[in-house]
Amino acid sequence: MSAFTQTFLADFFQSIHRVEQNNWDHLRFQGDHPRANNFMIDNAVHWMYAIMRNIDQYEAAFELLEDDYSRALMIKLLEYDILDHHHVKLPLNTPEFWASYNSVDEKYLVKKDAVPFGDGFVNLYRVPDMDMQIYGHALTVLTQFILKQYFFQRGPVIQPAPGDVCIDAGACRGEVSLHFAHAVGPEGKVYGFEFVPANIDIFKQNLLMNPAYSPLVHLVPYPLWHESGQEMRFSDRGPASSIRDGKDATGDLVTTTLTIDDFVSGEGVDRVDFIKMDIEGAEVNALAGGQATIKKHLPKLAICAYHKKDDFYRIPALIRQIDAGYKFYLDHYTIHREETVLYAVHPDSSRG
């Protein structure tokens, strides 16, 4: 039995007997959410079957991770997928996490329900150490500006650096693009890919509020995919909007896809130093459409790996196929299933 399988099964059977308390994000989800008080056995069986059916691929992904924390986190996240918050507590759920979360509005809020967004509103926040204002939610401020999602420093530094050229795929309302602009400085550049009209509207407003950073950010209103020029139907679901092909393609809006490789060559981008992706399950497709760029420039990578059950193994396998020199690390930025990031860095990358 492999090290992964042995550790996963041992931890899994221990977790079954635990009942976790104070393990629900009540600031984000309502207390009467169906998952809040009810353990869903059908969901558990579904996830366990998916993992055991592909145990060899999970083992391969586990072996690619460079440090003990990443490997332990992968196992804990898989256990959480099966047993949910009722039986598994993720590492971020600490008193320090809750203290930071509860202090967001006190420290950063300028105006509640400042502008309409989707079926509700977004708040206006100020991030004083960056002299930046953004429309968003408390969780946005927590993950992006306090926990610094996409800024990995546990061992190697995998983050935007001064002078970097960055791709922010799934830029949504622009908060991450602006954070990247602060990090790369006046010699750098950020390309924010976002195709959903409501998200773009807030993105543009966020740029207008931050003239010190907005010249560094270039909005690209297309979704990334493995081929360019493909028409896709989608529904405007705000940050959760996604494109699908084939029989899964539904929605009342239409967009046209673009690949990283075609964008880079078409725009004459002479280098790419950092790529972040949070694109609701299209990460594998977008990486496939950026293989030439990644092979040539060896950018640092921060790729979300939680939208699909096979993300844990398909994403690192594809990156290794592009260039076997990449090293992998894993981190996670909520107490629930969302916001797992696979970081990858190549030793020949020229920037730290």
Side-chain angles (χ1 to χ4, degrees), residues 56-321:
D56 290 344
Q57 289 93 328
Y58 283 106
E59 167 66 22
F62 180 83
E63 294 297 332
L64 286 176
L65 296 171
E66 289 291 318
D67 64 339
D68 290 341
Y69 184 89
S70 296
R71 290 187 286 268
L73 177 61
M74 177 180 169
I75 286 175
K76 189 62 67 176
L77 289 166
L78 291 174
E79 291 174 12
Y80 188 97
D81 285 337
I82 302 166
L83 298 174
D84 217 328
H85 67 283
H86 301 281
H87 299 285
V88 176
K89 183 176 287 188
L90 297 177
L92 193 62
N93 192 349
T94 64
E96 293 76 16
F97 166 84
W98 285 109
S100 295
Y101 203 168
N102 285 311
S103 71
V104 167
D105 282 0
E106 177 185 348
K107 292 182 178 180
Y108 301 98
L109 182 65
V110 175
K111 183 179 180 182
K112 189 172 178 60
D113 296 339
V115 294
F117 179 69
D119 295 331
F121 294 84
V122 286
N123 304 328
L124 176 61
Y125 292 96
R126 182 172 181 270
V127 185
D129 58 336
M130 299 182 189
D131 193 22
M132 182 183 298
Q133 292 194 103
I134 58 110
Y135 291 119
H137 298 294
L139 190 65
T140 307
V141 176
L142 177 71
T143 56
Q144 304 306 330
F145 298 102
I146 298 176
L147 301 177
K148 297 186 185 301
Q149 184 177 1
Y150 311 119
F151 288 72
F152 184 85
Q153 295 182 333
R154 195 186 67 242
V157 174
I158 308 172
Q159 63 184 43
D164 274 359
V165 176
C166 302
I167 287 176
D168 175 11
C172 195
R173 297 180 296 255
E175 307 98 322
V176 175
S177 290
L178 285 165
H179 196 173
F180 287 178
H182 174 268
V184 303
E187 302 302 316
K189 191 174 293 184
V190 179
Y191 295 102
F193 286 77
E194 180 53 54
F195 66 95
V196 180
N199 296 345
I200 289 174
D201 180 58
I202 300 296
F203 192 154
K204 290 179 176 178
Q205 293 184 59
N206 277 332
L207 290 179
L208 287 172
M209 286 194 298
N210 295 281
Y213 302 115
S214 56
L216 308 178
V217 179
H218 303 267
L219 171 62
V220 186
Y222 299 97
L224 288 175
W225 199 240
H226 60 273
E227 61 180 23
S228 295
Q230 185 172 343
E231 282 199 351
M232 295 282 206
R233 304 197 69 83
F234 72 99
S235 296
D236 189 338
R237 299 179 58 222
S241 301
S242 62
I243 57 172
R244 297 285 187 270
D245 58 358
K247 61 181 177 57
D248 296 324
T250 60
D252 55 347
L253 300 173
V254 177
T255 187
T256 305
T257 62
L258 183 62
T259 69
I260 290 176
D261 289 344
D262 286 346
F263 172 78
V264 168
S265 62
E267 295 296 318
V269 178
D270 59 2
R271 73 170 199 270
V272 177
D273 304 295
F274 186 92
I275 298 175
K276 162 261 179 183
M277 290 185 185
D278 185 359
I279 46 180
E280 304 304 310
E283 286 82 4
V284 168
N285 299 83
L287 286 167
Q291 292 185 70
T293 299
I294 295 170
K295 187 71 175 178
K296 179 179 180 180
H297 300 287
L298 303 176
K300 297 161 285 187
L301 303 172
I303 313 298
C304 282
Y306 65 93
H307 296 107
K308 293 183 175 180
K309 290 182 175 63
D310 57 8
D311 281 345
F312 268 133
Y313 58 84
R314 287 193 69 196
I315 291 173
L318 177 54
I319 296 169
R320 287 275 291 184
Q321 179 182 316

